[in-house]
């Protein structure tokens, strides 16, 4: 199958691309590092010609303390819109969108879950630009599926890391110790 893979130069994208190629799929990579901008509607539509599905990973993650809500919104929401437009115009069979557990608004101490174990019905209270962009992009996928009858799958991984990420997290906890997880009974 020919698959459009956005964000294929990133941490997750590189691994996904390798696995999909191993599984015999043809990959059309789409990443800013290769000069392909997810914010460019006509280019995203062109990239999808001949593809049957898309795995949409391209995003700004908002890990930076100086995170720019405008840029995150532009990349993550307009980017998802463009991917869905490409899926509609090129008649894809499936859209897989990498959302984030951040959409729930409970991952980094912003709030506590209403109940455990959480499920897909748990309310979302996203509390920063990245989390809001992920929740709204999920809604976009939902509306798109209702209107266009193309299957959309939204995934919410809590953390996909490599060794460098562990190091970065340890360093960031030194700067913001309130990000550290503690048992509720100790709070
Ligand atoms: N890594 C995690 O722990 C984690 C957890 C939850 C969700 N996610 C989601 O998974 C996806 C991939 O994350 P990652 O960890 O590989 O991040 P990453 O930053 O390593 O990869 C993101 C990729 O998107 C590309 N990109 C950014 N802006 C772009 C633009 N305007 N046009 C085209 N490409 C652009 C970047 O160049 C990069 O290669 C993201 O959507 C992220 O929100 C990641």
């Amino acid at each position: 199958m020919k698959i459009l893979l956005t964000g294929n130069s990133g941490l997750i994208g590189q691994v996904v691309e390798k696995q999909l190629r191993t599984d015999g799929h043809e990959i059309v990579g789409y990443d800013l590092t290769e000069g392909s901008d997810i914010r460019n509607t006509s280019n995203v539509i062109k990239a999808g010609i001949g593809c049957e599905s898309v795995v949409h990973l391209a995003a700004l993650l908002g890990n930076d303390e100086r995170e720019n809500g405008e840029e995150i919104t532009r990349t993550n929401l307009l980017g998802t819109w463009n991917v869905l437009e490409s899926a509609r115009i090129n008649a894809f069979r499936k859209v897989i969108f990498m959302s984030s557990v951040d959409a729930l608004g409970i991952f980094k101490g912003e709030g506590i879950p209403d109940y455990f174990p959480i499920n897909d019905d748990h309310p979302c209270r996203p509390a920063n630009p990245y989390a809001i962009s992920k929740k709204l992009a999920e809604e976009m996928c939902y509306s798109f599926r209702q209107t266009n009858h193309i299957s959309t799958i939204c995934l919410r991984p809590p953390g996909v890391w490599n060794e460098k990420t562990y190091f970065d997290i340890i360093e960031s906890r030194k700067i913001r110790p309130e990000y550290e997880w503690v048992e509720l009974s100790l709070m």
Side-chain angles (χ1 to χ4, degrees):
M1 189 195 304
K2 191 170 169 183
I3 301 173
L4 177 61
L5 175 60
T6 76
N8 61 307
S9 302
L11 177 75
I12 298 175
Q14 289 178 44
V15 179
V16 170
E17 177 167 5
K18 196 171 164 201
Q19 186 62 51
L20 289 175
R21 286 192 190 279
T22 302
D23 293 345
H25 299 291
E26 186 183 341
I27 300 302
V28 178
Y30 196 97
D31 198 293
L32 198 57
T33 58
E34 304 293 327
S36 301
D37 193 336
I38 203 72
R39 295 165 295 186
N40 185 318
T41 310
S42 56
N43 283 354
V44 180
I45 291 168
K46 263 188 235 146
I49 293 172
C51 293
E52 288 182 53
S53 296
V54 57
V55 179
H56 177 38
L57 305 175
L60 290 181
L61 270 65
N63 291 331
D64 196 313
E65 295 303 311
R66 298 152 297 167
E67 75 177 31
N68 181 332
E70 187 182 331
E71 277 310 307
I72 289 173
T73 303
R74 211 187 297 280
T75 300
N76 297 3
L77 284 179
L78 179 58
T80 302
W81 169 262
N82 289 340
V83 164
L84 293 172
E85 272 295 274
S86 188
R88 180 181 67 80
I89 290 165
N90 295 304
F92 290 0
R93 283 176 27 211
K94 196 172 284 184
V95 174
I96 297 172
F97 167 59
M98 193 67 100
S99 180
S100 169
V101 73
D102 283 64
L104 281 162
I106 56 176
F107 188 53
K108 291 176 184 151
E110 313 95 313
I112 58 171
D114 292 1
Y115 55 85
F116 261 134
I118 57 169
N119 56 19
D120 286 347
D121 297 326
H122 192 284
C124 288
R125 302 184 189 97
N128 58 57
Y130 173 70
I132 292 167
S133 77
K134 288 296 180 181
K135 179 59 186 151
L136 292 178
E138 287 181 9
E139 294 294 331
M140 243 187 236
C141 290
Y142 179 75
S143 302
F144 173 83
R145 190 192 63 183
Q146 301 293 93
T147 315
N148 297 288
H149 309 290
I150 293 173
S151 170
T152 61
I153 297 169
C154 299
L155 303 171
R156 285 181 185 163
V160 186
W161 299 338
N162 59 15
E163 276 180 28
K164 181 181 175 302
T165 323
Y166 280 101
F167 175 78
D168 291 344
I169 288 171
I170 290 165
E171 291 304 301
S172 74
R173 293 297 193 268
K174 289 179 190 162
I175 300 164
R176 297 193 67 168
E178 69 273 20
Y179 269 22
E180 194 52 88
W181 292 352
V182 291
E183 287 183 37
L184 279 180
S185 57
L186 301 178
M187 290 175 81

PDB file of all heavy atoms in Angstrom, residues 53-78:
ATOM      1  N   SER A  53      -3.664   5.682   2.303  1.00  0.00           N
ATOM      2  CA  SER A  53      -3.833   5.990   3.726  1.00  0.00           C
ATOM      3  C   SER A  53      -2.799   7.028   4.133  1.00  0.00           C
ATOM      4  O   SER A  53      -1.825   7.261   3.411  1.00  0.00           O
ATOM      5  CB  SER A  53      -3.617   4.743   4.596  1.00  0.00           C
ATOM      6  OG  SER A  53      -4.584   3.784   4.331  1.00  0.00           O
ATOM      7  N   VAL A  54      -3.030   7.599   5.320  1.00  0.00           N
ATOM      8  CA  VAL A  54      -2.042   8.537   5.857  1.00  0.00           C
ATOM      9  C   VAL A  54      -1.807   8.235   7.332  1.00  0.00           C
ATOM     10  O   VAL A  54      -2.739   7.895   8.064  1.00  0.00           O
ATOM     11  CB  VAL A  54      -2.491  10.009   5.670  1.00  0.00           C
ATOM     12  CG1 VAL A  54      -3.836  10.283   6.316  1.00  0.00           C
ATOM     13  CG2 VAL A  54      -1.439  10.984   6.213  1.00  0.00           C
ATOM     14  N   VAL A  55      -0.550   8.330   7.742  1.00  0.00           N
ATOM     15  CA  VAL A  55      -0.196   8.347   9.164  1.00  0.00           C
ATOM     16  C   VAL A  55       0.309   9.760   9.419  1.00  0.00           C
ATOM     17  O   VAL A  55       1.338  10.173   8.875  1.00  0.00           O
ATOM     18  CB  VAL A  55       0.893   7.304   9.498  1.00  0.00           C
ATOM     19  CG1 VAL A  55       1.254   7.373  10.982  1.00  0.00           C
ATOM     20  CG2 VAL A  55       0.430   5.898   9.122  1.00  0.00           C
ATOM     21  N   HIS A  56      -0.447  10.500  10.233  1.00  0.00           N
ATOM     22  CA  HIS A  56      -0.152  11.928  10.414  1.00  0.00           C
ATOM     23  C   HIS A  56       0.541  12.160  11.764  1.00  0.00           C
ATOM     24  O   HIS A  56      -0.100  12.144  12.814  1.00  0.00           O
ATOM     25  CB  HIS A  56      -1.458  12.723  10.322  1.00  0.00           C
ATOM     26  CG  HIS A  56      -1.299  14.179  10.561  1.00  0.00           C
ATOM     27  ND1 HIS A  56      -0.205  14.908  10.115  1.00  0.00           N
ATOM     28  CD2 HIS A  56      -2.103  15.075  11.219  1.00  0.00           C
ATOM     29  CE1 HIS A  56      -0.336  16.175  10.497  1.00  0.00           C
ATOM     30  NE2 HIS A  56      -1.471  16.296  11.167  1.00  0.00           N
ATOM     31  N   LEU A  57       1.853  12.388  11.681  1.00  0.00           N
ATOM     32  CA  LEU A  57       2.668  12.597  12.881  1.00  0.00           C
ATOM     33  C   LEU A  57       3.198  14.026  12.986  1.00  0.00           C
ATOM     34  O   LEU A  57       3.560  14.468  14.078  1.00  0.00           O
ATOM     35  CB  LEU A  57       3.873  11.642  12.879  1.00  0.00           C
ATOM     36  CG  LEU A  57       3.615  10.140  12.750  1.00  0.00           C
ATOM     37  CD1 LEU A  57       4.944   9.398  12.656  1.00  0.00           C
ATOM     38  CD2 LEU A  57       2.813   9.629  13.926  1.00  0.00           C
ATOM     39  N   ALA A  58       3.281  14.734  11.865  1.00  0.00           N
ATOM     40  CA  ALA A  58       3.922  16.058  11.878  1.00  0.00           C
ATOM     41  C   ALA A  58       3.209  16.994  12.846  1.00  0.00           C
ATOM     42  O   ALA A  58       1.992  17.132  12.808  1.00  0.00           O
ATOM     43  CB  ALA A  58       3.916  16.654  10.468  1.00  0.00           C
ATOM     44  N   ALA A  59       3.977  17.604  13.737  1.00  0.00           N
ATOM     45  CA  ALA A  59       3.393  18.502  14.726  1.00  0.00           C
ATOM     46  C   ALA A  59       4.500  19.275  15.417  1.00  0.00           C
ATOM     47  O   ALA A  59       5.672  18.886  15.375  1.00  0.00           O
ATOM     48  CB  ALA A  59       2.607  17.699  15.773  1.00  0.00           C
ATOM     49  N   LEU A  60       4.101  20.356  16.082  1.00  0.00           N
ATOM     50  CA  LEU A  60       4.991  21.005  17.047  1.00  0.00           C
ATOM     51  C   LEU A  60       4.580  20.503  18.412  1.00  0.00           C
ATOM     52  O   LEU A  60       3.391  20.536  18.765  1.00  0.00           O
ATOM     53  CB  LEU A  60       4.868  22.526  16.956  1.00  0.00           C
ATOM     54  CG  LEU A  60       5.429  23.167  15.690  1.00  0.00           C
ATOM     55  CD1 LEU A  60       5.268  24.691  15.759  1.00  0.00           C
ATOM     56  CD2 LEU A  60       6.893  22.801  15.475  1.00  0.00           C
ATOM     57  N   LEU A  61       5.560  20.044  19.209  1.00  0.00           N
ATOM     58  CA  LEU A  61       5.224  19.354  20.457  1.00  0.00           C
ATOM     59  C   LEU A  61       5.006  20.256  21.660  1.00  0.00           C
ATOM     60  O   LEU A  61       4.411  19.841  22.647  1.00  0.00           O
ATOM     61  CB  LEU A  61       6.291  18.304  20.785  1.00  0.00           C
ATOM     62  CG  LEU A  61       5.993  16.919  20.187  1.00  0.00           C
ATOM     63  CD1 LEU A  61       6.030  16.946  18.665  1.00  0.00           C
ATOM     64  CD2 LEU A  61       6.947  15.875  20.701  1.00  0.00           C
ATOM     65  N   GLY A  62       5.518  21.471  21.610  1.00  0.00           N
ATOM     66  CA  GLY A  62       5.248  22.383  22.715  1.00  0.00           C
ATOM     67  C   GLY A  62       5.971  22.033  23.988  1.00  0.00           C
ATOM     68  O   GLY A  62       5.521  22.385  25.070  1.00  0.00           O
ATOM     69  N   ASN A  63       7.094  21.318  23.875  1.00  0.00           N
ATOM     70  CA  ASN A  63       7.857  20.982  25.079  1.00  0.00           C
ATOM     71  C   ASN A  63       8.653  22.172  25.600  1.00  0.00           C
ATOM     72  O   ASN A  63       9.057  22.207  26.752  1.00  0.00           O
ATOM     73  CB  ASN A  63       8.842  19.842  24.790  1.00  0.00           C
ATOM     74  CG  ASN A  63       8.103  18.544  24.557  1.00  0.00           C
ATOM     75  OD1 ASN A  63       7.035  18.339  25.092  1.00  0.00           O
ATOM     76  ND2 ASN A  63       8.672  17.677  23.737  1.00  0.00           N
ATOM     77  N   ASP A  64       8.887  23.106  24.705  1.00  0.00           N
ATOM     78  CA  ASP A  64       9.723  24.250  25.032  1.00  0.00           C
ATOM     79  C   ASP A  64       9.001  25.179  26.007  1.00  0.00           C
ATOM     80  O   ASP A  64       7.811  25.462  25.848  1.00  0.00           O
ATOM     81  CB  ASP A  64      10.022  25.018  23.725  1.00  0.00           C
ATOM     82  CG  ASP A  64      11.171  25.970  23.882  1.00  0.00           C
ATOM     83  OD1 ASP A  64      11.180  26.704  24.888  1.00  0.00           O
ATOM     84  OD2 ASP A  64      12.041  25.977  23.003  1.00  0.00           O
ATOM     85  N   GLU A  65       9.734  25.659  26.993  1.00  0.00           N
ATOM     86  CA  GLU A  65       9.139  26.569  27.984  1.00  0.00           C
ATOM     87  C   GLU A  65       8.599  27.844  27.321  1.00  0.00           C
ATOM     88  O   GLU A  65       7.672  28.459  27.811  1.00  0.00           O
ATOM     89  CB  GLU A  65      10.183  26.957  29.032  1.00  0.00           C
ATOM     90  CG  GLU A  65      10.652  25.790  29.884  1.00  0.00           C
ATOM     91  CD  GLU A  65       9.508  25.099  30.610  1.00  0.00           C
ATOM     92  OE1 GLU A  65       8.715  25.809  31.230  1.00  0.00           O
ATOM     93  OE2 GLU A  65       9.413  23.868  30.548  1.00  0.00           O
ATOM     94  N   ARG A  66       9.234  28.222  26.197  1.00  0.00           N
ATOM     95  CA  ARG A  66       8.792  29.446  25.520  1.00  0.00           C
ATOM     96  C   ARG A  66       7.788  29.115  24.416  1.00  0.00           C
ATOM     97  O   ARG A  66       7.726  29.766  23.404  1.00  0.00           O
ATOM     98  CB  ARG A  66      10.001  30.142  24.900  1.00  0.00           C
ATOM     99  CG  ARG A  66      11.059  30.584  25.883  1.00  0.00           C
ATOM    100  CD  ARG A  66      12.412  30.608  25.223  1.00  0.00           C
ATOM    101  NE  ARG A  66      12.788  29.261  24.791  1.00  0.00           N
ATOM    102  CZ  ARG A  66      13.782  28.984  23.983  1.00  0.00           C
ATOM    103  NH1 ARG A  66      14.499  29.923  23.462  1.00  0.00           N
ATOM    104  NH2 ARG A  66      14.059  27.724  23.660  1.00  0.00           N
ATOM    105  N   GLU A  67       7.012  28.074  24.607  1.00  0.00           N
ATOM    106  CA  GLU A  67       6.178  27.576  23.527  1.00  0.00           C
ATOM    107  C   GLU A  67       5.271  28.660  22.953  1.00  0.00           C
ATOM    108  O   GLU A  67       4.747  29.499  23.675  1.00  0.00           O
ATOM    109  CB  GLU A  67       5.360  26.367  23.953  1.00  0.00           C
ATOM    110  CG  GLU A  67       4.187  26.673  24.834  1.00  0.00           C
ATOM    111  CD  GLU A  67       3.402  25.398  25.146  1.00  0.00           C
ATOM    112  OE1 GLU A  67       4.018  24.321  25.215  1.00  0.00           O
ATOM    113  OE2 GLU A  67       2.199  25.506  25.289  1.00  0.00           O
ATOM    114  N   ASN A  68       5.148  28.595  21.633  1.00  0.00           N
ATOM    115  CA  ASN A  68       4.446  29.620  20.897  1.00  0.00           C
ATOM    116  C   ASN A  68       3.083  29.075  20.466  1.00  0.00           C
ATOM    117  O   ASN A  68       2.984  28.275  19.539  1.00  0.00           O
ATOM    118  CB  ASN A  68       5.321  29.991  19.687  1.00  0.00           C
ATOM    119  CG  ASN A  68       4.703  31.065  18.850  1.00  0.00           C
ATOM    120  OD1 ASN A  68       3.471  31.197  18.807  1.00  0.00           O
ATOM    121  ND2 ASN A  68       5.534  31.823  18.186  1.00  0.00           N
ATOM    122  N   GLY A  69       2.036  29.530  21.158  1.00  0.00           N
ATOM    123  CA  GLY A  69       0.698  29.013  20.900  1.00  0.00           C
ATOM    124  C   GLY A  69       0.244  29.230  19.468  1.00  0.00           C
ATOM    125  O   GLY A  69      -0.418  28.376  18.884  1.00  0.00           O
ATOM    126  N   GLU A  70       0.649  30.366  18.893  1.00  0.00           N
ATOM    127  CA  GLU A  70       0.216  30.663  17.529  1.00  0.00           C
ATOM    128  C   GLU A  70       0.827  29.660  16.541  1.00  0.00           C
ATOM    129  O   GLU A  70       0.136  29.106  15.681  1.00  0.00           O
ATOM    130  CB  GLU A  70       0.650  32.088  17.162  1.00  0.00           C
ATOM    131  CG  GLU A  70       0.109  32.545  15.840  1.00  0.00           C
ATOM    132  CD  GLU A  70       0.600  33.945  15.482  1.00  0.00           C
ATOM    133  OE1 GLU A  70       0.869  34.728  16.397  1.00  0.00           O
ATOM    134  OE2 GLU A  70       0.713  34.225  14.286  1.00  0.00           O
ATOM    135  N   GLU A  71       2.121  29.395  16.702  1.00  0.00           N
ATOM    136  CA  GLU A  71       2.791  28.457  15.794  1.00  0.00           C
ATOM    137  C   GLU A  71       2.276  27.038  15.980  1.00  0.00           C
ATOM    138  O   GLU A  71       2.109  26.287  15.021  1.00  0.00           O
ATOM    139  CB  GLU A  71       4.308  28.493  16.014  1.00  0.00           C
ATOM    140  CG  GLU A  71       5.000  29.624  15.286  1.00  0.00           C
ATOM    141  CD  GLU A  71       4.588  29.684  13.812  1.00  0.00           C
ATOM    142  OE1 GLU A  71       4.696  28.658  13.114  1.00  0.00           O
ATOM    143  OE2 GLU A  71       4.126  30.752  13.367  1.00  0.00           O
ATOM    144  N   ILE A  72       2.060  26.668  17.240  1.00  0.00           N
ATOM    145  CA  ILE A  72       1.538  25.324  17.520  1.00  0.00           C
ATOM    146  C   ILE A  72       0.165  25.150  16.885  1.00  0.00           C
ATOM    147  O   ILE A  72      -0.130  24.146  16.232  1.00  0.00           O
ATOM    148  CB  ILE A  72       1.477  25.075  19.044  1.00  0.00           C
ATOM    149  CG1 ILE A  72       2.893  24.923  19.599  1.00  0.00           C
ATOM    150  CG2 ILE A  72       0.636  23.845  19.382  1.00  0.00           C
ATOM    151  CD1 ILE A  72       2.965  24.847  21.114  1.00  0.00           C
ATOM    152  N   THR A  73      -0.676  26.163  17.048  1.00  0.00           N
ATOM    153  CA  THR A  73      -2.029  26.091  16.491  1.00  0.00           C
ATOM    154  C   THR A  73      -1.981  26.008  14.971  1.00  0.00           C
ATOM    155  O   THR A  73      -2.667  25.196  14.345  1.00  0.00           O
ATOM    156  CB  THR A  73      -2.846  27.325  16.944  1.00  0.00           C
ATOM    157  OG1 THR A  73      -2.842  27.346  18.371  1.00  0.00           O
ATOM    158  CG2 THR A  73      -4.264  27.265  16.443  1.00  0.00           C
ATOM    159  N   ARG A  74      -1.139  26.843  14.384  1.00  0.00           N
ATOM    160  CA  ARG A  74      -1.048  26.865  12.930  1.00  0.00           C
ATOM    161  C   ARG A  74      -0.573  25.506  12.397  1.00  0.00           C
ATOM    162  O   ARG A  74      -1.161  24.952  11.469  1.00  0.00           O
ATOM    163  CB  ARG A  74      -0.057  27.959  12.499  1.00  0.00           C
ATOM    164  CG  ARG A  74      -0.380  28.590  11.157  1.00  0.00           C
ATOM    165  CD  ARG A  74       0.731  29.523  10.731  1.00  0.00           C
ATOM    166  NE  ARG A  74       0.934  30.651  11.625  1.00  0.00           N
ATOM    167  CZ  ARG A  74       0.185  31.755  11.627  1.00  0.00           C
ATOM    168  NH1 ARG A  74      -0.814  31.861  10.796  1.00  0.00           N
ATOM    169  NH2 ARG A  74       0.439  32.735  12.447  1.00  0.00           N
ATOM    170  N   THR A  75       0.465  24.983  12.999  1.00  0.00           N
ATOM    171  CA  THR A  75       1.036  23.723  12.498  1.00  0.00           C
ATOM    172  C   THR A  75       0.116  22.544  12.800  1.00  0.00           C
ATOM    173  O   THR A  75      -0.173  21.722  11.924  1.00  0.00           O
ATOM    174  CB  THR A  75       2.419  23.471  13.144  1.00  0.00           C
ATOM    175  OG1 THR A  75       3.285  24.557  12.806  1.00  0.00           O
ATOM    176  CG2 THR A  75       3.028  22.166  12.662  1.00  0.00           C
ATOM    177  N   ASN A  76      -0.371  22.469  14.025  1.00  0.00           N
ATOM    178  CA  ASN A  76      -1.090  21.264  14.430  1.00  0.00           C
ATOM    179  C   ASN A  76      -2.537  21.239  13.933  1.00  0.00           C
ATOM    180  O   ASN A  76      -3.061  20.169  13.607  1.00  0.00           O
ATOM    181  CB  ASN A  76      -1.044  21.103  15.945  1.00  0.00           C
ATOM    182  CG  ASN A  76       0.379  20.904  16.448  1.00  0.00           C
ATOM    183  OD1 ASN A  76       1.328  20.947  15.677  1.00  0.00           O
ATOM    184  ND2 ASN A  76       0.534  20.687  17.737  1.00  0.00           N
ATOM    185  N   LEU A  77      -3.164  22.405  13.879  1.00  0.00           N
ATOM    186  CA  LEU A  77      -4.564  22.408  13.424  1.00  0.00           C
ATOM    187  C   LEU A  77      -4.680  22.572  11.907  1.00  0.00           C
ATOM    188  O   LEU A  77      -5.341  21.778  11.258  1.00  0.00           O
ATOM    189  CB  LEU A  77      -5.355  23.492  14.149  1.00  0.00           C
ATOM    190  CG  LEU A  77      -5.709  23.103  15.580  1.00  0.00           C
ATOM    191  CD1 LEU A  77      -6.474  24.222  16.284  1.00  0.00           C
ATOM    192  CD2 LEU A  77      -6.537  21.830  15.621  1.00  0.00           C
ATOM    193  N   LEU A  78      -3.993  23.592  11.354  1.00  0.00           N
ATOM    194  CA  LEU A  78      -4.042  23.727   9.891  1.00  0.00           C
ATOM    195  C   LEU A  78      -3.417  22.479   9.254  1.00  0.00           C
ATOM    196  O   LEU A  78      -3.906  21.977   8.237  1.00  0.00           O
ATOM    197  CB  LEU A  78      -3.300  24.997   9.447  1.00  0.00           C
ATOM    198  CG  LEU A  78      -3.250  25.245   7.944  1.00  0.00           C
ATOM    199  CD1 LEU A  78      -4.655  25.331   7.343  1.00  0.00           C
ATOM    200  CD2 LEU A  78      -2.471  26.526   7.639  1.00  0.00           C
TER     201      LEU A  78
END
